Amino acid sequence: TRPYPATLAKGTSSNIQAIPGQTSITLTNATPVTYADFDLWLNRRYVRRIALLGAGQSIEVPTQSFYDEWGGCPFVGGFWRSYDPTPIVLLQIQVAPDQPLVGLICALPESVRE
C-alpha cells in the first residue's frame, strides 16, 4: 500500500458510524450520500479499498483486511490472540487523491465502555 496522506486537508465528519468488533468493523452509512470506490484509512496507518457504501447501507469490514505501507495489518481480538488488539481510534474516507479526508463517527467497543 502507501503511506497515510498526511498533507491532505482534513474535511468535515460524516454521519457514517463505525462500530468495532473483535475481528471486524461495521460501517453504517446514515447519510443520503453513496460512497463508491474509496480508500478507508484506519488510525492514520492502515488502508483498505472499499467498492461501495450506499446511502443507508451497512457493511462489515474485516479488521485484518487493512494493510500499512510495510504490509502489516492491525492485531485483532479474540481468545487466541498473542498481542493486545489494535485500538480503533480514527477512521477516515479518502474519495480521491486530492480531496480532503472525511472523518467517521467511531463508537467505543464494549470493553472500553465498562
Side-chain angles (χ1 to χ4, degrees):
T1 64
R2 64 189 190 285
Y4 177 76
T7 58
L8 280 181
K10 309 307 180 259
T12 60
S13 294
S14 181
N15 196 12
I16 298 173
Q17 299 152 10
I19 303 167
Q22 278 195 346
T23 60
S24 65
I25 302 166
T26 301
L27 301 177
T28 301
N29 185 357
T31 73
V33 178
T34 293
Y35 291 89
D37 200 29
F38 63 91
D39 288 331
L40 181 62
W41 284 95
L42 169 64
N43 294 351
R44 295 177 50 158
R45 178 175 173 182
Y46 306 99
V47 66
R48 181 216 153 111
R49 194 83 172 158
I50 302 289
L52 181 68
L53 179 60
Q57 180 184 15
S58 290
I59 61 172
E60 193 167 329
V61 182
T63 307
Q64 287 193 309
S65 65
F66 289 85
Y67 291 94
D68 64 14
E69 62 184 304
W70 302 284
C73 61
F75 298 116
V76 296
F79 182 74
W80 298 108
R81 72 176 191 253
S82 54
Y83 298 97
D84 286 337
T86 302
I88 296 171
V89 295
L90 180 65
L91 282 164
Q92 296 170 302
I93 289 176
Q94 182 181 8
V95 294
D98 59 344
Q99 294 293 315
L101 297 167
V102 178
L104 307 185
I105 299 169
C106 294
L108 292 174
E110 273 190 47
S111 60
V112 175
R113 283 185 252 161
E114 296 172 348

